[in-house]
PDB file of all heavy atoms in Angstrom:
ATOM      1  N   LEU L   1     -26.543 -27.522  14.192  1.00  0.00           N
ATOM      2  CA  LEU L   1     -25.209 -27.701  14.756  1.00  0.00           C
ATOM      3  C   LEU L   1     -25.071 -29.024  15.496  1.00  0.00           C
ATOM      4  O   LEU L   1     -23.961 -29.509  15.721  1.00  0.00           O
ATOM      5  CB  LEU L   1     -24.892 -26.536  15.699  1.00  0.00           C
ATOM      6  CG  LEU L   1     -23.439 -26.353  16.128  1.00  0.00           C
ATOM      7  CD1 LEU L   1     -22.549 -26.143  14.917  1.00  0.00           C
ATOM      8  CD2 LEU L   1     -23.310 -25.177  17.091  1.00  0.00           C
ATOM      9  N   ASN L   2     -26.185 -29.636  15.870  1.00  0.00           N
ATOM     10  CA  ASN L   2     -26.139 -30.923  16.577  1.00  0.00           C
ATOM     11  C   ASN L   2     -26.086 -32.111  15.630  1.00  0.00           C
ATOM     12  O   ASN L   2     -26.031 -33.253  16.075  1.00  0.00           O
ATOM     13  CB  ASN L   2     -27.355 -31.077  17.488  1.00  0.00           C
ATOM     14  CG  ASN L   2     -27.225 -30.225  18.720  1.00  0.00           C
ATOM     15  OD1 ASN L   2     -26.132 -29.819  19.072  1.00  0.00           O
ATOM     16  ND2 ASN L   2     -28.338 -29.919  19.364  1.00  0.00           N
ATOM     17  N   ALA L   3     -26.137 -31.852  14.327  1.00  0.00           N
ATOM     18  CA  ALA L   3     -26.151 -32.951  13.367  1.00  0.00           C
ATOM     19  C   ALA L   3     -24.763 -33.549  13.211  1.00  0.00           C
ATOM     20  O   ALA L   3     -23.756 -32.881  13.426  1.00  0.00           O
ATOM     21  CB  ALA L   3     -26.670 -32.473  12.013  1.00  0.00           C
ATOM     22  N   LYS L   4     -24.723 -34.803  12.830  1.00  0.00           N
ATOM     23  CA  LYS L   4     -23.450 -35.468  12.549  1.00  0.00           C
ATOM     24  C   LYS L   4     -22.708 -34.733  11.443  1.00  0.00           C
ATOM     25  O   LYS L   4     -21.507 -34.488  11.514  1.00  0.00           O
ATOM     26  CB  LYS L   4     -23.719 -36.916  12.156  1.00  0.00           C
ATOM     27  CG  LYS L   4     -22.478 -37.718  11.783  1.00  0.00           C
ATOM     28  CD  LYS L   4     -21.679 -38.087  13.006  1.00  0.00           C
ATOM     29  CE  LYS L   4     -20.538 -39.028  12.643  1.00  0.00           C
ATOM     30  NZ  LYS L   4     -19.730 -39.393  13.822  1.00  0.00           N
ATOM     31  N   THR L   5     -23.425 -34.381  10.397  1.00  0.00           N
ATOM     32  CA  THR L   5     -22.877 -33.590   9.294  1.00  0.00           C
ATOM     33  C   THR L   5     -23.875 -32.511   8.959  1.00  0.00           C
ATOM     34  O   THR L   5     -25.058 -32.816   8.756  1.00  0.00           O
ATOM     35  CB  THR L   5     -22.619 -34.462   8.045  1.00  0.00           C
ATOM     36  OG1 THR L   5     -21.712 -35.509   8.392  1.00  0.00           O
ATOM     37  CG2 THR L   5     -22.040 -33.643   6.907  1.00  0.00           C
ATOM     38  N   SER L   6     -23.442 -31.269   8.932  1.00  0.00           N
ATOM     39  CA  SER L   6     -24.385 -30.194   8.710  1.00  0.00           C
ATOM     40  C   SER L   6     -23.751 -29.054   7.933  1.00  0.00           C
ATOM     41  O   SER L   6     -22.650 -28.601   8.247  1.00  0.00           O
ATOM     42  CB  SER L   6     -24.912 -29.662  10.050  1.00  0.00           C
ATOM     43  OG  SER L   6     -25.899 -28.680   9.824  1.00  0.00           O
ATOM     44  N   PRO L   7     -24.442 -28.565   6.894  1.00  0.00           N
ATOM     45  CA  PRO L   7     -23.951 -27.419   6.132  1.00  0.00           C
ATOM     46  C   PRO L   7     -24.181 -26.112   6.886  1.00  0.00           C
ATOM     47  O   PRO L   7     -25.020 -26.033   7.790  1.00  0.00           O
ATOM     48  CB  PRO L   7     -24.788 -27.442   4.853  1.00  0.00           C
ATOM     49  CG  PRO L   7     -25.633 -28.661   4.923  1.00  0.00           C
ATOM     50  CD  PRO L   7     -25.647 -29.136   6.331  1.00  0.00           C
ATOM     51  N   PHE L   8     -23.456 -25.080   6.480  1.00  0.00           N
ATOM     52  CA  PHE L   8     -23.683 -23.754   7.045  1.00  0.00           C
ATOM     53  C   PHE L   8     -23.438 -22.688   5.986  1.00  0.00           C
ATOM     54  O   PHE L   8     -22.736 -22.902   4.992  1.00  0.00           O
ATOM     55  CB  PHE L   8     -22.797 -23.512   8.278  1.00  0.00           C
ATOM     56  CG  PHE L   8     -21.315 -23.581   8.014  1.00  0.00           C
ATOM     57  CD1 PHE L   8     -20.606 -22.473   7.558  1.00  0.00           C
ATOM     58  CD2 PHE L   8     -20.616 -24.757   8.236  1.00  0.00           C
ATOM     59  CE1 PHE L   8     -19.242 -22.536   7.324  1.00  0.00           C
ATOM     60  CE2 PHE L   8     -19.249 -24.837   7.998  1.00  0.00           C
ATOM     61  CZ  PHE L   8     -18.558 -23.722   7.540  1.00  0.00           C
ATOM     62  N   LEU L   9     -24.045 -21.542   6.215  1.00  0.00           N
ATOM     63  CA  LEU L   9     -23.891 -20.362   5.370  1.00  0.00           C
ATOM     64  C   LEU L   9     -23.216 -19.289   6.202  1.00  0.00           C
ATOM     65  O   LEU L   9     -23.580 -19.072   7.362  1.00  0.00           O
ATOM     66  CB  LEU L   9     -25.251 -19.871   4.889  1.00  0.00           C
ATOM     67  CG  LEU L   9     -25.285 -18.536   4.127  1.00  0.00           C
ATOM     68  CD1 LEU L   9     -24.602 -18.687   2.767  1.00  0.00           C
ATOM     69  CD2 LEU L   9     -26.725 -18.066   3.945  1.00  0.00           C
ATOM     70  N   THR L  10     -22.212 -18.631   5.632  1.00  0.00           N
ATOM     71  CA  THR L  10     -21.487 -17.608   6.373  1.00  0.00           C
ATOM     72  C   THR L  10     -21.341 -16.347   5.535  1.00  0.00           C
ATOM     73  O   THR L  10     -21.235 -16.409   4.304  1.00  0.00           O
ATOM     74  CB  THR L  10     -20.089 -18.126   6.800  1.00  0.00           C
ATOM     75  OG1 THR L  10     -19.424 -17.124   7.557  1.00  0.00           O
ATOM     76  CG2 THR L  10     -19.247 -18.497   5.606  1.00  0.00           C
ATOM     77  N   GLY L  11     -21.350 -15.217   6.186  1.00  0.00           N
ATOM     78  CA  GLY L  11     -21.177 -13.946   5.501  1.00  0.00           C
ATOM     79  C   GLY L  11     -20.758 -12.871   6.478  1.00  0.00           C
ATOM     80  O   GLY L  11     -21.110 -12.919   7.660  1.00  0.00           O
ATOM     81  N   GLY L  12     -19.979 -11.903   5.995  1.00  0.00           N
ATOM     82  CA  GLY L  12     -19.548 -10.830   6.888  1.00  0.00           C
ATOM     83  C   GLY L  12     -18.594  -9.875   6.200  1.00  0.00           C
ATOM     84  O   GLY L  12     -18.526  -9.798   4.974  1.00  0.00           O
ATOM     85  N   LEU L  13     -17.839  -9.154   7.000  1.00  0.00           N
ATOM     86  CA  LEU L  13     -16.909  -8.143   6.524  1.00  0.00           C
ATOM     87  C   LEU L  13     -15.481  -8.628   6.668  1.00  0.00           C
ATOM     88  O   LEU L  13     -15.175  -9.448   7.546  1.00  0.00           O
ATOM     89  CB  LEU L  13     -17.099  -6.853   7.317  1.00  0.00           C
ATOM     90  CG  LEU L  13     -18.498  -6.233   7.297  1.00  0.00           C
ATOM     91  CD1 LEU L  13     -18.542  -4.992   8.187  1.00  0.00           C
ATOM     92  CD2 LEU L  13     -18.922  -5.884   5.877  1.00  0.00           C
ATOM     93  N   GLN L  14     -14.601  -8.106   5.810  1.00  0.00           N
ATOM     94  CA  GLN L  14     -13.186  -8.425   5.911  1.00  0.00           C
ATOM     95  C   GLN L  14     -12.358  -7.244   5.402  1.00  0.00           C
ATOM     96  O   GLN L  14     -12.878  -6.345   4.745  1.00  0.00           O
ATOM     97  CB  GLN L  14     -12.847  -9.687   5.132  1.00  0.00           C
ATOM     98  CG  GLN L  14     -12.979  -9.578   3.621  1.00  0.00           C
ATOM     99  CD  GLN L  14     -12.573 -10.870   2.939  1.00  0.00           C
ATOM    100  OE1 GLN L  14     -13.137 -11.929   3.200  1.00  0.00           O
ATOM    101  NE2 GLN L  14     -11.570 -10.791   2.066  1.00  0.00           N
ATOM    102  N   PHE L  15     -11.073  -7.292   5.726  1.00  0.00           N
ATOM    103  CA  PHE L  15     -10.193  -6.153   5.437  1.00  0.00           C
ATOM    104  C   PHE L  15      -8.789  -6.697   5.211  1.00  0.00           C
ATOM    105  O   PHE L  15      -8.093  -7.046   6.165  1.00  0.00           O
ATOM    106  CB  PHE L  15     -10.214  -5.189   6.629  1.00  0.00           C
ATOM    107  CG  PHE L  15      -9.547  -3.875   6.375  1.00  0.00           C
ATOM    108  CD1 PHE L  15     -10.242  -2.824   5.789  1.00  0.00           C
ATOM    109  CD2 PHE L  15      -8.230  -3.682   6.728  1.00  0.00           C
ATOM    110  CE1 PHE L  15      -9.629  -1.599   5.570  1.00  0.00           C
ATOM    111  CE2 PHE L  15      -7.601  -2.470   6.511  1.00  0.00           C
ATOM    112  CZ  PHE L  15      -8.304  -1.422   5.931  1.00  0.00           C
ATOM    113  N   THR L  16      -8.390  -6.832   3.930  1.00  0.00           N
ATOM    114  CA  THR L  16      -7.108  -7.444   3.595  1.00  0.00           C
ATOM    115  C   THR L  16      -5.994  -6.399   3.559  1.00  0.00           C
ATOM    116  O   THR L  16      -6.095  -5.399   2.829  1.00  0.00           O
ATOM    117  CB  THR L  16      -7.176  -8.160   2.239  1.00  0.00           C
ATOM    118  OG1 THR L  16      -8.162  -9.185   2.309  1.00  0.00           O
ATOM    119  CG2 THR L  16      -5.832  -8.776   1.884  1.00  0.00           C
ATOM    120  N   ARG L  17      -4.948  -6.656   4.296  1.00  0.00           N
ATOM    121  CA  ARG L  17      -3.764  -5.807   4.234  1.00  0.00           C
ATOM    122  C   ARG L  17      -2.709  -6.518   3.401  1.00  0.00           C
ATOM    123  O   ARG L  17      -2.300  -7.637   3.717  1.00  0.00           O
ATOM    124  CB  ARG L  17      -3.226  -5.530   5.638  1.00  0.00           C
ATOM    125  CG  ARG L  17      -1.943  -4.697   5.634  1.00  0.00           C
ATOM    126  CD  ARG L  17      -1.553  -4.280   7.012  1.00  0.00           C
ATOM    127  NE  ARG L  17      -0.263  -3.575   7.004  1.00  0.00           N
ATOM    128  CZ  ARG L  17       0.205  -2.893   8.049  1.00  0.00           C
ATOM    129  NH1 ARG L  17      -0.507  -2.805   9.150  1.00  0.00           N
ATOM    130  NH2 ARG L  17       1.379  -2.300   7.971  1.00  0.00           N
ATOM    131  N   ILE L  18      -2.257  -5.837   2.321  1.00  0.00           N
ATOM    132  CA  ILE L  18      -1.290  -6.416   1.398  1.00  0.00           C
ATOM    133  C   ILE L  18       0.069  -5.767   1.635  1.00  0.00           C
ATOM    134  O   ILE L  18       0.188  -4.539   1.646  1.00  0.00           O
ATOM    135  CB  ILE L  18      -1.728  -6.200  -0.064  1.00  0.00           C
ATOM    136  CG1 ILE L  18      -3.129  -6.767  -0.284  1.00  0.00           C
ATOM    137  CG2 ILE L  18      -0.730  -6.848  -1.020  1.00  0.00           C
ATOM    138  CD1 ILE L  18      -3.685  -6.512  -1.664  1.00  0.00           C
ATOM    139  N   SER L  19       1.085  -6.605   1.831  1.00  0.00           N
ATOM    140  CA  SER L  19       2.445  -6.117   2.077  1.00  0.00           C
ATOM    141  C   SER L  19       3.377  -6.714   1.040  1.00  0.00           C
ATOM    142  O   SER L  19       3.303  -7.907   0.721  1.00  0.00           O
ATOM    143  CB  SER L  19       2.919  -6.509   3.481  1.00  0.00           C
ATOM    144  OG  SER L  19       2.044  -5.994   4.467  1.00  0.00           O
ATOM    145  N   GLY L  20       4.278  -5.856   0.474  1.00  0.00           N
ATOM    146  CA  GLY L  20       5.222  -6.319  -0.523  1.00  0.00           C
ATOM    147  C   GLY L  20       6.612  -5.776  -0.292  1.00  0.00           C
ATOM    148  O   GLY L  20       6.970  -5.379   0.829  1.00  0.00           O
ATOM    149  N   GLN L  21       7.414  -5.722  -1.336  1.00  0.00           N
ATOM    150  CA  GLN L  21       8.805  -5.274  -1.235  1.00  0.00           C
ATOM    151  C   GLN L  21       8.870  -3.773  -0.930  1.00  0.00           C
ATOM    152  O   GLN L  21       7.904  -3.040  -1.141  1.00  0.00           O
ATOM    153  CB  GLN L  21       9.525  -5.568  -2.553  1.00  0.00           C
ATOM    154  CG  GLN L  21       9.011  -4.736  -3.744  1.00  0.00           C
ATOM    155  CD  GLN L  21       9.964  -4.752  -4.909  1.00  0.00           C
ATOM    156  OE1 GLN L  21      11.063  -5.275  -4.801  1.00  0.00           O
ATOM    157  NE2 GLN L  21       9.550  -4.181  -6.025  1.00  0.00           N
ATOM    158  N   ASN L  22      10.023  -3.354  -0.452  1.00  0.00           N
ATOM    159  CA  ASN L  22      10.295  -1.940  -0.170  1.00  0.00           C
ATOM    160  C   ASN L  22       9.284  -1.330   0.797  1.00  0.00           C
ATOM    161  O   ASN L  22       9.037  -0.125   0.770  1.00  0.00           O
ATOM    162  CB  ASN L  22      10.320  -1.109  -1.468  1.00  0.00           C
ATOM    163  CG  ASN L  22      11.396  -1.569  -2.438  1.00  0.00           C
ATOM    164  OD1 ASN L  22      12.478  -1.978  -2.011  1.00  0.00           O
ATOM    165  ND2 ASN L  22      11.089  -1.536  -3.734  1.00  0.00           N
ATOM    166  N   GLY L  23       8.691  -2.156   1.635  1.00  0.00           N
ATOM    167  CA  GLY L  23       7.738  -1.639   2.608  1.00  0.00           C
ATOM    168  C   GLY L  23       6.411  -1.215   2.010  1.00  0.00           C
ATOM    169  O   GLY L  23       5.615  -0.523   2.681  1.00  0.00           O
ATOM    170  N   ASN L  24       6.107  -1.591   0.771  1.00  0.00           N
ATOM    171  CA  ASN L  24       4.834  -1.220   0.145  1.00  0.00           C
ATOM    172  C   ASN L  24       3.673  -1.926   0.841  1.00  0.00           C
ATOM    173  O   ASN L  24       3.717  -3.138   1.072  1.00  0.00           O
ATOM    174  CB  ASN L  24       4.846  -1.603  -1.344  1.00  0.00           C
ATOM    175  CG  ASN L  24       5.800  -0.753  -2.142  1.00  0.00           C
ATOM    176  OD1 ASN L  24       6.113   0.374  -1.754  1.00  0.00           O
ATOM    177  ND2 ASN L  24       6.274  -1.281  -3.274  1.00  0.00           N
ATOM    178  N   ARG L  25       2.650  -1.155   1.123  1.00  0.00           N
ATOM    179  CA  ARG L  25       1.456  -1.702   1.770  1.00  0.00           C
ATOM    180  C   ARG L  25       0.219  -1.035   1.200  1.00  0.00           C
ATOM    181  O   ARG L  25       0.257   0.129   0.808  1.00  0.00           O
ATOM    182  CB  ARG L  25       1.487  -1.500   3.290  1.00  0.00           C
ATOM    183  CG  ARG L  25       2.553  -2.303   4.004  1.00  0.00           C
ATOM    184  CD  ARG L  25       2.424  -2.142   5.512  1.00  0.00           C
ATOM    185  NE  ARG L  25       3.404  -2.946   6.219  1.00  0.00           N
ATOM    186  CZ  ARG L  25       4.649  -2.577   6.475  1.00  0.00           C
ATOM    187  NH1 ARG L  25       5.080  -1.384   6.079  1.00  0.00           N
ATOM    188  NH2 ARG L  25       5.472  -3.383   7.130  1.00  0.00           N
ATOM    189  N   THR L  26      -0.841  -1.773   1.176  1.00  0.00           N
ATOM    190  CA  THR L  26      -2.125  -1.215   0.753  1.00  0.00           C
ATOM    191  C   THR L  26      -3.241  -2.022   1.400  1.00  0.00           C
ATOM    192  O   THR L  26      -3.011  -3.107   1.946  1.00  0.00           O
ATOM    193  CB  THR L  26      -2.270  -1.236  -0.779  1.00  0.00           C
ATOM    194  OG1 THR L  26      -3.436  -0.489  -1.140  1.00  0.00           O
ATOM    195  CG2 THR L  26      -2.405  -2.668  -1.301  1.00  0.00           C
ATOM    196  N   HIS L  27      -4.432  -1.496   1.322  1.00  0.00           N
ATOM    197  CA  HIS L  27      -5.600  -2.182   1.868  1.00  0.00           C
ATOM    198  C   HIS L  27      -6.840  -1.674   1.148  1.00  0.00           C
ATOM    199  O   HIS L  27      -6.820  -0.591   0.539  1.00  0.00           O
ATOM    200  CB  HIS L  27      -5.715  -1.946   3.384  1.00  0.00           C
ATOM    201  CG  HIS L  27      -5.768  -0.496   3.765  1.00  0.00           C
ATOM    202  ND1 HIS L  27      -6.892   0.284   3.605  1.00  0.00           N
ATOM    203  CD2 HIS L  27      -4.798   0.317   4.278  1.00  0.00           C
ATOM    204  CE1 HIS L  27      -6.638   1.515   4.040  1.00  0.00           C
ATOM    205  NE2 HIS L  27      -5.374   1.565   4.438  1.00  0.00           N
ATOM    206  N   PRO L  28      -7.937  -2.421   1.216  1.00  0.00           N
ATOM    207  CA  PRO L  28      -9.148  -1.998   0.518  1.00  0.00           C
ATOM    208  C   PRO L  28      -9.889  -0.909   1.279  1.00  0.00           C
ATOM    209  O   PRO L  28      -9.693  -0.717   2.483  1.00  0.00           O
ATOM    210  CB  PRO L  28      -9.976  -3.281   0.465  1.00  0.00           C
ATOM    211  CG  PRO L  28      -9.573  -4.026   1.691  1.00  0.00           C
ATOM    212  CD  PRO L  28      -8.105  -3.727   1.870  1.00  0.00           C
ATOM    213  N   THR L  29     -10.717  -0.184   0.539  1.00  0.00           N
ATOM    214  CA  THR L  29     -11.624   0.766   1.191  1.00  0.00           C
ATOM    215  C   THR L  29     -12.691   0.003   1.976  1.00  0.00           C
ATOM    216  O   THR L  29     -13.095   0.408   3.061  1.00  0.00           O
ATOM    217  CB  THR L  29     -12.288   1.661   0.132  1.00  0.00           C
ATOM    218  OG1 THR L  29     -11.271   2.291  -0.650  1.00  0.00           O
ATOM    219  CG2 THR L  29     -13.159   2.718   0.793  1.00  0.00           C
ATOM    220  N   TRP L  30     -13.156  -1.093   1.414  1.00  0.00           N
ATOM    221  CA  TRP L  30     -14.099  -1.959   2.122  1.00  0.00           C
ATOM    222  C   TRP L  30     -14.012  -3.364   1.521  1.00  0.00           C
ATOM    223  O   TRP L  30     -13.501  -3.559   0.413  1.00  0.00           O
ATOM    224  CB  TRP L  30     -15.526  -1.439   2.048  1.00  0.00           C
ATOM    225  CG  TRP L  30     -16.071  -1.318   0.644  1.00  0.00           C
ATOM    226  CD1 TRP L  30     -16.031  -0.221  -0.169  1.00  0.00           C
ATOM    227  CD2 TRP L  30     -16.722  -2.348  -0.127  1.00  0.00           C
ATOM    228  NE1 TRP L  30     -16.599  -0.498  -1.389  1.00  0.00           N
ATOM    229  CE2 TRP L  30     -17.039  -1.785  -1.389  1.00  0.00           C
ATOM    230  CE3 TRP L  30     -17.048  -3.676   0.137  1.00  0.00           C
ATOM    231  CZ2 TRP L  30     -17.675  -2.519  -2.387  1.00  0.00           C
ATOM    232  CZ3 TRP L  30     -17.683  -4.412  -0.857  1.00  0.00           C
ATOM    233  CH2 TRP L  30     -17.987  -3.825  -2.098  1.00  0.00           C
ATOM    234  N   GLY L  31     -14.530  -4.318   2.238  1.00  0.00           N
ATOM    235  CA  GLY L  31     -14.550  -5.689   1.746  1.00  0.00           C
ATOM    236  C   GLY L  31     -15.621  -6.507   2.453  1.00  0.00           C
ATOM    237  O   GLY L  31     -15.952  -6.244   3.618  1.00  0.00           O
ATOM    238  N   ALA L  32     -16.197  -7.458   1.760  1.00  0.00           N
ATOM    239  CA  ALA L  32     -17.221  -8.342   2.322  1.00  0.00           C
ATOM    240  C   ALA L  32     -17.079  -9.722   1.682  1.00  0.00           C
ATOM    241  O   ALA L  32     -16.486  -9.870   0.606  1.00  0.00           O
ATOM    242  CB  ALA L  32     -18.617  -7.781   2.080  1.00  0.00           C
ATOM    243  N   HIS L  33     -17.608 -10.729   2.358  1.00  0.00           N
ATOM    244  CA  HIS L  33     -17.527 -12.082   1.827  1.00  0.00           C
ATOM    245  C   HIS L  33     -18.811 -12.848   2.083  1.00  0.00           C
ATOM    246  O   HIS L  33     -19.575 -12.523   2.999  1.00  0.00           O
ATOM    247  CB  HIS L  33     -16.341 -12.846   2.426  1.00  0.00           C
ATOM    248  CG  HIS L  33     -16.498 -13.141   3.881  1.00  0.00           C
ATOM    249  ND1 HIS L  33     -15.994 -12.344   4.875  1.00  0.00           N
ATOM    250  CD2 HIS L  33     -17.113 -14.182   4.513  1.00  0.00           C
ATOM    251  CE1 HIS L  33     -16.284 -12.852   6.052  1.00  0.00           C
ATOM    252  NE2 HIS L  33     -16.965 -13.977   5.865  1.00  0.00           N
ATOM    253  N   LEU L  34     -19.034 -13.881   1.279  1.00  0.00           N
ATOM    254  CA  LEU L  34     -20.167 -14.783   1.423  1.00  0.00           C
ATOM    255  C   LEU L  34     -19.696 -16.180   1.053  1.00  0.00           C
ATOM    256  O   LEU L  34     -18.961 -16.353   0.082  1.00  0.00           O
ATOM    257  CB  LEU L  34     -21.319 -14.360   0.509  1.00  0.00           C
ATOM    258  CG  LEU L  34     -22.616 -15.178   0.608  1.00  0.00           C
ATOM    259  CD1 LEU L  34     -23.251 -14.976   1.985  1.00  0.00           C
ATOM    260  CD2 LEU L  34     -23.586 -14.757  -0.492  1.00  0.00           C
TER     261      LEU L  34
END
């Protein structure tokens, strides 16, 4: 983190809420990213 330019690796959980017309909404049972 002290470098002028430094790469990093990231990973974790996420949860997307999708909203559309007529009040339609949905979301995943689970989600993760890398």
Side-chain angles (χ1 to χ4, degrees):
L1 194 59
N2 285 340
K4 178 75 173 179
T5 302
S6 184
F8 61 85
L9 173 68
T10 182
L13 302 177
Q14 67 178 58
F15 190 86
T16 299
R17 177 172 175 168
I18 304 176
S19 302
Q21 67 164 353
N22 299 324
N24 291 335
R25 292 185 178 85
T26 189
H27 56 76
T29 305
W30 60 268
H33 68 266
L34 183 66

